[in-house]
Amino acid sequence: MKAVIFIISTVVIFLIMNQLYKKYTYPFLLPLLTTTIILVIILLSFDIPYADYMEGGQYIQHLLGPAVVGLAFPLYNQRHLISKYKYTIISGIFIAMISGLFTIYFMLRIFKLDESLILTALPKSLTTPIAMQVSETINGIPPLTAVLVMIAGFGGALFGPFVYKLGKIQSPISRGISMGSASHGVGISKLRDYSEEDLSMGSLAMGLSAIVGAILCPIFVMIFF
Amino acid sequence: MPFFALTMRIIRTILQIIILYIFYYMGVLIVHYTGLPLPASVIGLILLAACLQFKLVKVDYIREGAGFLLAFMTLFFIPPMIGIIDYPELLSLHGVILMIAVFLSTMFTIFITSTLSEKIEKKELAVKEKKDREGEGAIESSHIHH
């Protein structure tokens, strides 16, 4: 019974927040953010432990697996871009992954953070569902990873255009690759301001870098931990 | 939409989600038997992408199912996201360092990736153009010989 209530309330709150976001498209109204905050406030104020909530929540989470598999569909649709810019895309994504992993690793090592927190931060540039599952695979803390993924996304969306101005970046392909592989879906939503080509390159880079990142993160962990 | 068409569409979407589940469970089995340190869903994603590319699975078999799941993707990771209530560390000094480091790393990555990609892209396009021109030249010269 309790499980059913948690499932229904999560779905209903999400649907309302989704509608709200469709009406007012501000980044701080992202359904992930608003729905999570509302549910956390509800759980805290009624003193409901997370484990109790998950009696219902686990059924919703279960659909995440096939949904991630479904990401093959948009990837397949954008394959024409791959053949046109093969080398640029492949090297760009590897540069982004290597840069992301090494910079976060050394910064956190310098500040002597716990290994579990460093592991948690490694998948930050991947799209949230994959980042959380990679975090679980390498013994990080998945919900904390999700928060860091949001920061990477908002950082890119808010300050990415400034970086492009600074580096005098003109090409939609370069903007798409860098934003998609560093700031995933939240970041590429900002590419709408540039062009359609920016956007499709961004979502292709997001999908490809999620796969490459999921493979590279465990290898990185084997070498450095 | 007429009732019959709607029912058929719902059935089709459910069947397609089952196909996606099959790929997901193939990933689960592969992880179970090989111990690969990869999420099962990512292996399922790679398998499906390969099957689409090599025309082993028609894109029509998954279009509606994938579209439906992707439209609600955010909903599915809200439950694990709420797990954050068990980690108040985020509001500590270490939490703040973590967030600042992620921000800086992201900015640096966007900068270095966009700068280098632009250089590589120019080179790739130049090489392609050269190849195209040579290709045309070859056709023209063969023309002259005939």
Side-chain angles (χ1 to χ4, degrees), chain A residues 58-70 128-130 132-133, chain B residues 21 24 41 69 72-78 80:
Chain A
Q58 58 173 317
Y59 295 105
I60 299 176
Q61 188 182 350
H62 202 263
L63 283 163
L64 195 54
V68 168
V69 174
T128 318
I130 294 185
M132 290 178 94
Q133 300 195 332
Chain B
Y21 255 115
Y24 172 62
S41 58
L69 289 183
F72 292 99
M73 173 83 104
T74 306
L75 172 65
F76 309 143
F77 55 81
I78 282 173

Side-chain angles (χ1 to χ4, degrees), chain A residues 41-113:
Chain A
I41 291 172
I42 292 175
L43 293 185
L44 288 178
S45 44
F46 289 95
D47 238 336
I48 302 166
Y50 179 59
D52 283 15
Y53 168 78
M54 276 314 270
E55 277 175 32
Q58 58 173 317
Y59 295 105
I60 299 176
Q61 188 182 350
H62 202 263
L63 283 163
L64 195 54
V68 168
V69 174
L71 284 170
F73 173 59
L75 216 53
Y76 177 78
N77 280 341
Q78 270 137 3
R79 67 196 183 287
H80 62 279
L81 275 176
I82 305 184
S83 54
K84 195 167 172 197
Y85 299 102
K86 223 178 323 182
Y87 298 107
T88 315
I89 293 173
I90 294 171
S91 48
I93 283 171
F94 271 94
I95 292 166
M97 287 299 118
I98 301 287
S99 151
L101 285 173
F102 276 95
T103 48
I104 193 74
Y105 175 78
F106 284 114
M107 270 192 273
L108 296 179
R109 274 281 186 234
I110 289 169
F111 284 104
K112 297 200 166 48
L113 254 65

